[in-house]
Amino acid sequence: MPRTARVGRSVSLLRHGERHASGGIHALDPNSGGAPGCGVCRGTTGQRTGAIRIITPGAFIRQHRCEVVARLDAIHRRGPVETSRDRFIVVALRDRPMHYVQCIFQPFDTVMLCEASSGAYGKTGFRLQAQSQAALRALQYAQADGEANFSRTVSLGDPPDVGIAADLMLAALYDAYGAEPDSAIEITAPRGGGGGCGTPTS
């Protein structure tokens, strides 16, 4: 994945899908049901463990889920599914470029490799607080060392359910990076253009 100055992303794990995180952990499964204006969107489930929000089906996720799913679906449909090159998505909180999650399709689109920002690859002085790190671990992200992003694999199934990855990305922004119900997001997806459902990204 190419670097971009705006978001300061790591290419450590997402470089054309050449390296994989271990585990193959499944994300939370969404419920059936519809989201207005988007035929590929479905509802989400939610739960709370202790003081850490695992995933909240609140206004933030409802506002942005359809757009993220539509972009992921566009990437999947355009292929080619045999490669990972440029088939990635980055979702960041608007005006907070170090608060982002990025995922890239692995060959044949049954798995995505995802990273959540640790602050190690961007502006100096930004590091996640302990509570934010705990929230990412509760979402089954792991950090190989203190200088790496948090990462995990997400199993999408066959055929792939891209809503699983969308739920996980938005949950991480809400739980670990302090998104509010009305927070705006920015989406970078070079091969996901044109995928829209009437839900604004900013």
Side-chain angles (χ1 to χ4, degrees), residues 38-198:
C38 184
V40 295
C41 299
R42 299 190 295 175
T44 60
T45 58
Q47 60 178 324
R48 184 181 293 268
T49 301
I52 299 173
R53 297 172 299 180
I54 302 302
I55 184 168
T56 304
F60 175 71
I61 290 177
R62 288 196 305 270
Q63 180 183 1
H64 298 299
R65 185 180 196 271
C66 194
E67 181 69 17
V68 176
V69 168
R71 297 292 189 94
L72 288 167
D73 186 65
I75 298 170
H76 166 63
R77 287 185 290 102
R78 287 179 180 141
V81 298
E82 295 82 9
T83 181
S84 294
R85 181 179 290 273
D86 295 332
R87 302 181 68 238
F88 66 89
I89 184 171
V90 185
V91 184
L93 293 179
R94 193 180 195 187
D95 299 326
R96 286 190 274 171
M98 292 309 301
H99 296 70
Y100 69 86
V101 183
Q102 58 189 5
C103 296
I104 188 167
F105 282 98
Q106 300 302 287
F108 305 105
D109 291 3
T110 59
V111 171
M112 295 196 82
L113 176 60
C114 296
E115 286 188 341
S117 171
S118 66
Y121 299 96
K123 296 179 180 179
T124 58
F126 171 77
R127 287 295 184 271
L128 285 180
Q129 299 298 314
Q131 183 177 358
S132 294
Q133 295 184 32
L136 288 175
R137 293 189 181 98
L139 290 168
Q140 300 182 24
Y141 281 90
Q143 190 179 35
D145 58 64
E147 297 303 316
N149 278 341
F150 289 80
S151 64
R152 60 162 289 171
T153 54
V154 182
S155 295
L156 303 179
D158 186 11
D161 179 359
V162 296
I164 296 173
D167 288 339
L168 185 67
M169 297 181 82
L170 292 170
L173 290 177
Y174 191 86
D175 291 347
Y177 300 105
E180 299 295 334
D182 59 350
S183 292
I185 63 173
E186 294 182 348
I187 298 177
T188 302
R191 297 185 64 83
C197 61

Side-chain angles (χ1 to χ4, degrees), residues 2-14:
R3 292 182 185 272
T4 63
R6 182 173 61 84
V7 181
R9 321 190 197 325
S10 159
V11 294
S12 61
L13 294 176
L14 304 191

